[in-house]
PDB file of all heavy atoms in Angstrom:
ATOM      1  N   ALA N 206      83.564  90.160  87.256  1.00  0.00           N
ATOM      2  CA  ALA N 206      83.198  91.272  86.373  1.00  0.00           C
ATOM      3  C   ALA N 206      82.522  92.413  87.141  1.00  0.00           C
ATOM      4  O   ALA N 206      82.926  93.575  87.027  1.00  0.00           O
ATOM      5  CB  ALA N 206      82.289  90.775  85.250  1.00  0.00           C
ATOM      6  N   VAL N 207      81.508  92.077  87.935  1.00  0.00           N
ATOM      7  CA  VAL N 207      80.712  93.137  88.570  1.00  0.00           C
ATOM      8  C   VAL N 207      81.538  94.022  89.485  1.00  0.00           C
ATOM      9  O   VAL N 207      81.542  95.259  89.331  1.00  0.00           O
ATOM     10  CB  VAL N 207      79.507  92.526  89.324  1.00  0.00           C
ATOM     11  CG1 VAL N 207      78.787  93.610  90.122  1.00  0.00           C
ATOM     12  CG2 VAL N 207      78.551  91.883  88.334  1.00  0.00           C
ATOM     13  N   PRO N 208      82.266  93.474  90.470  1.00  0.00           N
ATOM     14  CA  PRO N 208      83.006  94.376  91.361  1.00  0.00           C
ATOM     15  C   PRO N 208      84.054  95.204  90.639  1.00  0.00           C
ATOM     16  O   PRO N 208      84.270  96.376  90.980  1.00  0.00           O
ATOM     17  CB  PRO N 208      83.635  93.420  92.388  1.00  0.00           C
ATOM     18  CG  PRO N 208      83.599  92.080  91.752  1.00  0.00           C
ATOM     19  CD  PRO N 208      82.409  92.061  90.870  1.00  0.00           C
ATOM     20  N   GLN N 209      84.720  94.649  89.639  1.00  0.00           N
ATOM     21  CA  GLN N 209      85.769  95.405  88.961  1.00  0.00           C
ATOM     22  C   GLN N 209      85.185  96.459  88.017  1.00  0.00           C
ATOM     23  O   GLN N 209      85.750  97.546  87.877  1.00  0.00           O
ATOM     24  CB  GLN N 209      86.707  94.450  88.212  1.00  0.00           C
ATOM     25  CG  GLN N 209      87.492  93.538  89.138  1.00  0.00           C
ATOM     26  CD  GLN N 209      88.685  92.902  88.457  1.00  0.00           C
ATOM     27  OE1 GLN N 209      89.263  93.481  87.546  1.00  0.00           O
ATOM     28  NE2 GLN N 209      89.058  91.706  88.908  1.00  0.00           N
ATOM     29  N   VAL N 210      84.079  96.147  87.359  1.00  0.00           N
ATOM     30  CA  VAL N 210      83.427  97.163  86.518  1.00  0.00           C
ATOM     31  C   VAL N 210      82.917  98.307  87.396  1.00  0.00           C
ATOM     32  O   VAL N 210      83.061  99.494  87.055  1.00  0.00           O
ATOM     33  CB  VAL N 210      82.278  96.543  85.701  1.00  0.00           C
ATOM     34  CG1 VAL N 210      81.470  97.638  85.004  1.00  0.00           C
ATOM     35  CG2 VAL N 210      82.826  95.569  84.669  1.00  0.00           C
ATOM     36  N   VAL N 211      82.313  97.970  88.531  1.00  0.00           N
ATOM     37  CA  VAL N 211      81.828  99.002  89.453  1.00  0.00           C
ATOM     38  C   VAL N 211      82.982  99.871  89.934  1.00  0.00           C
ATOM     39  O   VAL N 211      82.891 101.105  89.962  1.00  0.00           O
ATOM     40  CB  VAL N 211      81.095  98.356  90.644  1.00  0.00           C
ATOM     41  CG1 VAL N 211      80.799  99.403  91.712  1.00  0.00           C
ATOM     42  CG2 VAL N 211      79.794  97.708  90.171  1.00  0.00           C
ATOM     43  N   GLN N 212      84.091  99.253  90.305  1.00  0.00           N
ATOM     44  CA  GLN N 212      85.245 100.009  90.778  1.00  0.00           C
ATOM     45  C   GLN N 212      85.799 100.910  89.680  1.00  0.00           C
ATOM     46  O   GLN N 212      86.150 102.071  89.922  1.00  0.00           O
ATOM     47  CB  GLN N 212      86.338  99.050  91.264  1.00  0.00           C
ATOM     48  CG  GLN N 212      87.582  99.763  91.789  1.00  0.00           C
ATOM     49  CD  GLN N 212      88.656  98.796  92.228  1.00  0.00           C
ATOM     50  OE1 GLN N 212      88.456  97.586  92.197  1.00  0.00           O
ATOM     51  NE2 GLN N 212      89.800  99.315  92.651  1.00  0.00           N
ATOM     52  N   ALA N 213      85.862 100.397  88.448  1.00  0.00           N
ATOM     53  CA  ALA N 213      86.374 101.209  87.340  1.00  0.00           C
ATOM     54  C   ALA N 213      85.475 102.410  87.073  1.00  0.00           C
ATOM     55  O   ALA N 213      85.951 103.530  86.840  1.00  0.00           O
ATOM     56  CB  ALA N 213      86.493 100.350  86.083  1.00  0.00           C
ATOM     57  N   VAL N 214      84.154 102.207  87.100  1.00  0.00           N
ATOM     58  CA  VAL N 214      83.223 103.319  86.879  1.00  0.00           C
ATOM     59  C   VAL N 214      83.380 104.378  87.969  1.00  0.00           C
ATOM     60  O   VAL N 214      83.402 105.587  87.693  1.00  0.00           O
ATOM     61  CB  VAL N 214      81.769 102.790  86.824  1.00  0.00           C
ATOM     62  CG1 VAL N 214      80.776 103.954  86.855  1.00  0.00           C
ATOM     63  CG2 VAL N 214      81.555 101.945  85.571  1.00  0.00           C
ATOM     64  N   LYS N 215      83.500 103.937  89.212  1.00  0.00           N
ATOM     65  CA  LYS N 215      83.655 104.897  90.308  1.00  0.00           C
ATOM     66  C   LYS N 215      84.976 105.655  90.196  1.00  0.00           C
ATOM     67  O   LYS N 215      85.035 106.871  90.472  1.00  0.00           O
ATOM     68  CB  LYS N 215      83.576 104.172  91.647  1.00  0.00           C
ATOM     69  CG  LYS N 215      82.178 103.632  91.968  1.00  0.00           C
ATOM     70  CD  LYS N 215      82.153 102.965  93.330  1.00  0.00           C
ATOM     71  CE  LYS N 215      80.745 102.488  93.692  1.00  0.00           C
ATOM     72  NZ  LYS N 215      80.701 101.813  95.013  1.00  0.00           N
ATOM     73  N   GLU N 216      86.055 104.980  89.793  1.00  0.00           N
ATOM     74  CA  GLU N 216      87.342 105.659  89.638  1.00  0.00           C
ATOM     75  C   GLU N 216      87.272 106.731  88.550  1.00  0.00           C
ATOM     76  O   GLU N 216      87.752 107.856  88.735  1.00  0.00           O
ATOM     77  CB  GLU N 216      88.429 104.634  89.289  1.00  0.00           C
ATOM     78  CG  GLU N 216      88.834 103.738  90.448  1.00  0.00           C
ATOM     79  CD  GLU N 216      89.916 102.751  90.036  1.00  0.00           C
ATOM     80  OE1 GLU N 216      90.335 102.802  88.858  1.00  0.00           O
ATOM     81  OE2 GLU N 216      90.331 101.940  90.877  1.00  0.00           O
ATOM     82  N   LEU N 217      86.678 106.389  87.426  1.00  0.00           N
ATOM     83  CA  LEU N 217      86.577 107.361  86.335  1.00  0.00           C
ATOM     84  C   LEU N 217      85.663 108.518  86.703  1.00  0.00           C
ATOM     85  O   LEU N 217      85.910 109.668  86.327  1.00  0.00           O
ATOM     86  CB  LEU N 217      86.072 106.664  85.059  1.00  0.00           C
ATOM     87  CG  LEU N 217      87.033 105.630  84.460  1.00  0.00           C
ATOM     88  CD1 LEU N 217      86.364 104.909  83.291  1.00  0.00           C
ATOM     89  CD2 LEU N 217      88.316 106.302  83.990  1.00  0.00           C
ATOM     90  N   ASP N 218      84.606 108.220  87.440  1.00  0.00           N
ATOM     91  CA  ASP N 218      83.691 109.289  87.853  1.00  0.00           C
ATOM     92  C   ASP N 218      84.378 110.251  88.824  1.00  0.00           C
ATOM     93  O   ASP N 218      84.045 111.429  88.874  1.00  0.00           O
ATOM     94  CB  ASP N 218      82.447 108.680  88.501  1.00  0.00           C
ATOM     95  CG  ASP N 218      81.401 109.724  88.857  1.00  0.00           C
ATOM     96  OD1 ASP N 218      81.054 110.533  87.987  1.00  0.00           O
ATOM     97  OD2 ASP N 218      80.947 109.722  90.013  1.00  0.00           O
ATOM     98  N   ALA N 219      85.339 109.747  89.584  1.00  0.00           N
ATOM     99  CA  ALA N 219      86.040 110.597  90.551  1.00  0.00           C
ATOM    100  C   ALA N 219      87.104 111.468  89.896  1.00  0.00           C
ATOM    101  O   ALA N 219      87.544 112.454  90.494  1.00  0.00           O
ATOM    102  CB  ALA N 219      86.686 109.724  91.634  1.00  0.00           C
ATOM    103  N   LEU N 220      87.545 111.140  88.662  1.00  0.00           N
ATOM    104  CA  LEU N 220      88.551 111.953  87.970  1.00  0.00           C
ATOM    105  C   LEU N 220      87.903 113.229  87.447  1.00  0.00           C
ATOM    106  O   LEU N 220      86.922 113.190  86.705  1.00  0.00           O
ATOM    107  CB  LEU N 220      89.164 111.160  86.810  1.00  0.00           C
ATOM    108  CG  LEU N 220      90.040 109.958  87.205  1.00  0.00           C
ATOM    109  CD1 LEU N 220      90.549 109.249  85.960  1.00  0.00           C
ATOM    110  CD2 LEU N 220      91.207 110.402  88.074  1.00  0.00           C
ATOM    111  N   ALA N 221      88.490 114.371  87.806  1.00  0.00           N
ATOM    112  CA  ALA N 221      87.878 115.661  87.441  1.00  0.00           C
ATOM    113  C   ALA N 221      87.887 115.901  85.937  1.00  0.00           C
ATOM    114  O   ALA N 221      87.010 116.576  85.402  1.00  0.00           O
ATOM    115  CB  ALA N 221      88.613 116.796  88.158  1.00  0.00           C
ATOM    116  N   GLY N 222      88.884 115.374  85.217  1.00  0.00           N
ATOM    117  CA  GLY N 222      88.987 115.675  83.785  1.00  0.00           C
ATOM    118  C   GLY N 222      88.113 114.834  82.887  1.00  0.00           C
ATOM    119  O   GLY N 222      87.972 115.144  81.695  1.00  0.00           O
ATOM    120  N   VAL N 223      87.525 113.752  83.405  1.00  0.00           N
ATOM    121  CA  VAL N 223      86.714 112.865  82.565  1.00  0.00           C
ATOM    122  C   VAL N 223      85.369 113.519  82.285  1.00  0.00           C
ATOM    123  O   VAL N 223      84.651 113.895  83.213  1.00  0.00           O
ATOM    124  CB  VAL N 223      86.522 111.493  83.248  1.00  0.00           C
ATOM    125  CG1 VAL N 223      85.572 110.618  82.431  1.00  0.00           C
ATOM    126  CG2 VAL N 223      87.864 110.801  83.415  1.00  0.00           C
ATOM    127  N   ASP N 224      85.033 113.656  80.992  1.00  0.00           N
ATOM    128  CA  ASP N 224      83.783 114.312  80.593  1.00  0.00           C
ATOM    129  C   ASP N 224      82.644 113.322  80.379  1.00  0.00           C
ATOM    130  O   ASP N 224      81.477 113.685  80.520  1.00  0.00           O
ATOM    131  CB  ASP N 224      83.992 115.116  79.305  1.00  0.00           C
ATOM    132  CG  ASP N 224      85.029 116.207  79.484  1.00  0.00           C
ATOM    133  OD1 ASP N 224      84.965 116.904  80.509  1.00  0.00           O
ATOM    134  OD2 ASP N 224      85.894 116.358  78.607  1.00  0.00           O
ATOM    135  N   VAL N 225      82.950 112.102  80.005  1.00  0.00           N
ATOM    136  CA  VAL N 225      81.919 111.090  79.759  1.00  0.00           C
ATOM    137  C   VAL N 225      82.565 109.720  79.940  1.00  0.00           C
ATOM    138  O   VAL N 225      83.765 109.557  79.703  1.00  0.00           O
ATOM    139  CB  VAL N 225      81.309 111.247  78.342  1.00  0.00           C
ATOM    140  CG1 VAL N 225      82.368 111.039  77.276  1.00  0.00           C
ATOM    141  CG2 VAL N 225      80.141 110.295  78.128  1.00  0.00           C
ATOM    142  N   ILE N 226      81.752 108.745  80.370  1.00  0.00           N
ATOM    143  CA  ILE N 226      82.244 107.378  80.606  1.00  0.00           C
ATOM    144  C   ILE N 226      81.503 106.428  79.666  1.00  0.00           C
ATOM    145  O   ILE N 226      80.268 106.473  79.575  1.00  0.00           O
ATOM    146  CB  ILE N 226      82.015 106.948  82.066  1.00  0.00           C
ATOM    147  CG1 ILE N 226      82.765 107.881  83.024  1.00  0.00           C
ATOM    148  CG2 ILE N 226      82.463 105.513  82.277  1.00  0.00           C
ATOM    149  CD1 ILE N 226      82.448 107.631  84.487  1.00  0.00           C
ATOM    150  N   ILE N 227      82.259 105.567  78.980  1.00  0.00           N
ATOM    151  CA  ILE N 227      81.680 104.553  78.097  1.00  0.00           C
ATOM    152  C   ILE N 227      81.963 103.181  78.707  1.00  0.00           C
ATOM    153  O   ILE N 227      83.119 102.851  79.000  1.00  0.00           O
ATOM    154  CB  ILE N 227      82.269 104.615  76.675  1.00  0.00           C
ATOM    155  CG1 ILE N 227      81.994 105.987  76.036  1.00  0.00           C
ATOM    156  CG2 ILE N 227      81.695 103.504  75.805  1.00  0.00           C
ATOM    157  CD1 ILE N 227      82.630 106.136  74.664  1.00  0.00           C
ATOM    158  N   VAL N 228      80.907 102.404  78.924  1.00  0.00           N
ATOM    159  CA  VAL N 228      81.046 101.010  79.358  1.00  0.00           C
ATOM    160  C   VAL N 228      80.763 100.152  78.135  1.00  0.00           C
ATOM    161  O   VAL N 228      79.631 100.129  77.631  1.00  0.00           O
ATOM    162  CB  VAL N 228      80.076 100.672  80.507  1.00  0.00           C
ATOM    163  CG1 VAL N 228      80.254  99.222  80.935  1.00  0.00           C
ATOM    164  CG2 VAL N 228      80.295 101.617  81.684  1.00  0.00           C
ATOM    165  N   ALA N 229      81.808  99.480  77.621  1.00  0.00           N
ATOM    166  CA  ALA N 229      81.699  98.794  76.328  1.00  0.00           C
ATOM    167  C   ALA N 229      81.986  97.310  76.467  1.00  0.00           C
ATOM    168  O   ALA N 229      82.837  96.894  77.264  1.00  0.00           O
ATOM    169  CB  ALA N 229      82.662  99.420  75.322  1.00  0.00           C
ATOM    170  N   ARG N 230      81.249  96.539  75.671  1.00  0.00           N
ATOM    171  CA  ARG N 230      81.482  95.097  75.569  1.00  0.00           C
ATOM    172  C   ARG N 230      80.892  94.620  74.261  1.00  0.00           C
ATOM    173  O   ARG N 230      79.896  95.155  73.782  1.00  0.00           O
ATOM    174  CB  ARG N 230      80.823  94.339  76.729  1.00  0.00           C
ATOM    175  CG  ARG N 230      81.175  92.849  76.772  1.00  0.00           C
ATOM    176  CD  ARG N 230      80.186  92.047  77.603  1.00  0.00           C
ATOM    177  NE  ARG N 230      80.630  90.707  77.877  1.00  0.00           N
ATOM    178  CZ  ARG N 230      80.610  89.692  77.020  1.00  0.00           C
ATOM    179  NH1 ARG N 230      80.170  89.886  75.781  1.00  0.00           N
ATOM    180  NH2 ARG N 230      81.038  88.492  77.371  1.00  0.00           N
ATOM    181  N   GLY N 231      81.510  93.588  73.680  1.00  0.00           N
ATOM    182  CA  GLY N 231      80.947  92.993  72.483  1.00  0.00           C
ATOM    183  C   GLY N 231      79.717  92.169  72.810  1.00  0.00           C
ATOM    184  O   GLY N 231      79.207  92.185  73.934  1.00  0.00           O
ATOM    185  N   GLY N 232      79.236  91.426  71.852  1.00  0.00           N
ATOM    186  CA  GLY N 232      78.043  90.629  72.065  1.00  0.00           C
ATOM    187  C   GLY N 232      78.302  89.455  72.988  1.00  0.00           C
ATOM    188  O   GLY N 232      79.408  89.248  73.492  1.00  0.00           O
TER     189      GLY N 232
END
Side-chain angles (χ1 to χ4, degrees):
V207 173
Q209 294 197 30
V210 171
V211 171
Q212 180 181 357
V214 169
K215 291 182 177 179
E216 287 180 1
L217 294 174
D218 185 51
L220 292 179
V223 175
D224 299 315
V225 62
I226 299 173
I227 300 176
V228 180
R230 187 199 192 283

